[in-house]
Amino acid sequence: MAKAKFTTSQDAITAILNESIPLFAKNGFSGVSIRHVSKAVGISIATLYHHFPDKKTLYLKSIERAFSDKAEGLTDVNNTPGTKEERLKLFILRFTELMSGDPNFRLLLQRELLDADNSRLQLLAEQVFKEQFQNVLNLAKEISPKCDPHLMAISIVGLILFHLETTPIRMYLPEGREEHNQPEVIAHHVYVLLTEGLLKNGGLKCSD
Amino acid sequence: MAKAKFTTSQDAITAILNESIPLFAKNGFSGVSIRHVSKAVGISIATLYHHFPDKKTLYLKSIERAFSDKAEGLTDVNNTPGTKEERLKLFILRFTELMSGDPNFRLLLQRELLDADNSRLQLLAEQVFKEQFQNVLNLAKEISPKCDPHLMAISIVGLILFHLETTPIRMYLPEGREEHNQPEVIAHHVYVLLTEGLLKNGGLKCSD
DNA sequence: GTCTATATACCGATAGAC
DNA sequence: GTCTATCGGTATATAGAC
């Protein structure tokens, strides 16, 4: 008889998700097989199917687990003291550090934007991102009341995410340097760009 | 004997790539099988293998074909007449329209950023994007000489690409509207954001 | 809770005829 | 240039013992 590797079903499920999350983040849904996951955990395929009914459910539970952890990572920055500029700066820094600190979350998000159907996108938007996006929306309204808040909120998070997204190809592009990948450098660049624009005073003072 | 569907090998290759490009864009490398592609083209698997040695080569040739078409789409906007603001505006509009006009190119690019190894990213950077990126770099240097040009160039294209990337989830996020997906709306928003920043005159004049 | 063994389908790739 | 037929491997998923 095979000895029990995990005492409770929850332990086994957690161990499986701990392996499946990075695998799905790196290789996508169809790039990961049940065999890969079960081998990474150190259990048989049948054992994995004992805990998850099918591959799709395993994927969705992986997404769920990976995303639920992050929902609390960004507390409401609108409730912190300070001017609107300070709160914007704080949000950008926190969001950049959060996203660069956990690559799995960002990679899974990007893959979902590519692969998910409308029902799953709706689920993500309404049950995962809604609250956090609303915070950015409020910040955008306060800082730039005349502009479309939705477009502005997308731009704020998009600037940060795209810099992280292009990290692997940067060093091969002209004038790309290693330091461009540091969260603090990205956050500072995004903050200055957003607050001052390109043309003010003949160009940004990125050395500030 | 089976009748010849294509007279020349080039015709067959073009027909195959015409089907494989959108399939790879939508489903990724491991989400597409040789069977899918051959069925979509209307030929047998063996015929496909007569034109391409293996699946990986088919994928790389698909990328190559899809990307080569776009290299000329963006002519050097720095050589057009007008002020730097006008040239920035022109670049943003052209780039936005180019990217929203051919979803396959953008989707393949995003998938490559997720899936490609370093050698393929280097190939993409140096043989596909180098020249165009250099143009954006020059524009960034001229417009914002005090700021890091690399970071600024990434920000300019990133703003546009992220708005397109999030198109499918927008309508499910707070205050998302259908018109936010129009290329002209995105381009105008990006231009105003870049040139004026968030805080100037108490907020952007997005209605201009 | 975990296993071995197996069912069934699909995968990438090839052989050889026409 | 295209096909049918097929190989060996792997995919997801299940049955049933312990």
Side-chain angles (χ1 to χ4, degrees):
Chain A
M1 171 189 167
K3 71 175 179 185
K5 189 164 180 167
F6 307 104
T7 47
T8 69
S9 186
Q10 273 307 316
D11 285 349
I13 287 174
T14 297
I16 292 167
L17 292 177
N18 281 344
E19 298 296 333
S20 67
I21 287 172
L23 280 174
F24 281 130
K26 183 165 180 16
N27 306 109
F29 177 80
S30 49
V32 175
S33 70
I34 294 290
R35 277 178 152 75
H36 291 149
V37 178
S38 58
K39 194 172 182 179
V41 181
I43 58 176
S44 72
I45 294 173
T47 301
L48 200 156
Y49 274 102
H50 177 75
H51 296 289
F52 296 91
D54 51 37
K55 185 186 173 184
K56 189 170 179 180
T57 303
L58 172 62
Y59 177 73
L60 291 175
K61 291 293 180 185
S62 302
I63 297 277
E64 202 176 287
R65 174 69 61 96
F67 283 20
S68 69
D69 297 348
K70 295 302 148 207
E72 297 89 30
L74 264 173
T75 49
D76 187 359
V77 76
N78 291 73
N79 285 338
T80 57
T83 66
K84 55 190 180 187
E85 289 88 349
E86 288 169 342
R87 274 178 287 131
L88 176 65
K89 192 167 193 171
L90 183 64
F91 170 80
I92 290 171
L93 184 60
R94 279 202 189 158
F95 188 71
T96 309
E97 286 175 341
L98 188 73
M99 286 298 174
S100 55
D102 182 2
N104 290 331
F105 174 67
R106 183 180 56 79
L107 292 170
L108 286 173
L109 169 59
Q110 284 176 222
R111 293 202 178 274
E112 279 297 275
L113 287 177
L114 285 170
D115 298 334
D117 58 19
N118 278 346
S119 67
R120 214 156 74 202
L121 287 174
Q122 184 169 9
L123 203 76
L124 279 176
E126 294 177 354
Q127 302 198 0
V128 180
F129 299 124
K130 187 180 178 182
E131 197 181 345
Q132 299 297 336
F133 190 81
Q134 189 65 54
N135 288 338
V136 188
L137 216 50
N138 292 337
L139 196 56
K141 282 178 184 173
E142 191 181 2
I143 286 177
S144 189
K146 293 179 190 166
C147 186
D148 185 301
H150 181 88
L151 287 173
M152 194 55 71
I154 295 279
S155 288
I156 295 173
V157 299
L159 272 172
I160 296 168
L161 285 174
F162 193 76
H163 276 276
L164 299 177
E165 192 176 341
T166 48
T167 291
I169 206 178
R170 273 191 132 107
M171 51 199 279
Y172 304 119
L173 287 171
E175 304 195 26
R177 289 193 302 278
E178 199 57 53
E179 71 211 57
H180 290 145
N181 295 330
Q182 294 172 11
E184 305 81 23
V185 173
I186 294 174
H188 180 257
H189 164 79
V190 171
Y191 173 73
V192 176
L193 173 59
L194 284 174
T195 49
E196 305 198 11
L198 274 173
L199 301 169
K200 188 172 181 181
N201 299 328
L204 295 184
K205 295 164 291 183
C206 287
S207 53
D208 291 357
Chain B
M1 171 187 168
K3 72 175 178 185
K5 188 164 182 170
F6 306 105
T7 48
T8 69
S9 186
Q10 273 307 317
D11 286 349
I13 287 174
T14 297
I16 291 167
L17 291 178
N18 281 344
E19 297 296 334
S20 66
I21 286 173
L23 280 173
F24 281 130
K26 183 166 178 15
N27 305 110
F29 177 80
S30 50
V32 176
S33 70
I34 294 290
R35 283 177 157 76
H36 291 150
V37 178
S38 59
K39 193 172 183 179
V41 182
I43 58 177
S44 72
I45 293 173
T47 301
L48 200 155
Y49 273 103
H50 177 75
H51 297 288
F52 296 91
D54 51 36
K55 186 187 174 183
K56 189 170 180 178
T57 303
L58 172 63
Y59 177 73
L60 292 175
K61 292 292 180 186
S62 302
I63 297 276
E64 204 175 286
R65 175 70 59 97
F67 283 19
S68 70
D69 298 347
K70 296 301 146 207
E72 297 88 34
L74 262 174
T75 49
D76 188 358
V77 75
N78 290 74
N79 287 338
T80 57
T83 65
K84 54 191 180 186
E85 287 88 350
E86 287 169 343
R87 276 179 285 130
L88 175 67
K89 192 168 192 170
L90 184 63
F91 169 81
I92 290 171
L93 185 60
R94 280 203 189 156
F95 188 73
T96 309
E97 285 174 342
L98 188 72
M99 287 297 172
S100 56
D102 181 2
N104 290 333
F105 175 66
R106 184 180 57 78
L107 292 170
L108 286 173
L109 169 58
Q110 284 177 222
R111 292 202 178 275
E112 280 296 278
L113 287 177
L114 285 171
D115 297 335
D117 57 19
N118 278 345
S119 67
R120 215 156 75 203
L121 287 174
Q122 185 170 8
L123 203 78
L124 279 176
E126 294 175 357
Q127 304 197 358
V128 181
F129 298 125
K130 187 180 179 181
E131 198 180 344
Q132 299 297 338
F133 189 80
Q134 189 65 54
N135 288 338
V136 188
L137 217 49
N138 293 336
L139 196 59
K141 282 177 184 175
E142 193 181 0
I143 287 178
S144 190
K146 293 179 192 167
C147 187
D148 185 299
H150 181 88
L151 286 173
M152 194 55 72
I154 295 279
S155 287
I156 293 173
V157 299
L159 271 172
I160 296 168
L161 286 173
F162 193 77
H163 276 276
L164 299 177
E165 191 175 342
T166 48
T167 291
I169 206 177
R170 272 192 133 102
M171 53 199 276
Y172 304 119
L173 287 170
E175 303 194 27
R177 289 192 303 276
E178 201 58 50
E179 70 211 58
H180 290 145
N181 296 330
Q182 294 173 12
E184 305 81 22
V185 174
I186 293 174
H188 180 258
H189 165 78
V190 171
Y191 174 73
V192 176
L193 174 58
L194 284 174
T195 49
E196 305 198 11
L198 273 172
L199 301 169
K200 189 173 180 180
N201 299 328
L204 297 182
K205 295 165 289 183
C206 285
S207 53
D208 290 356

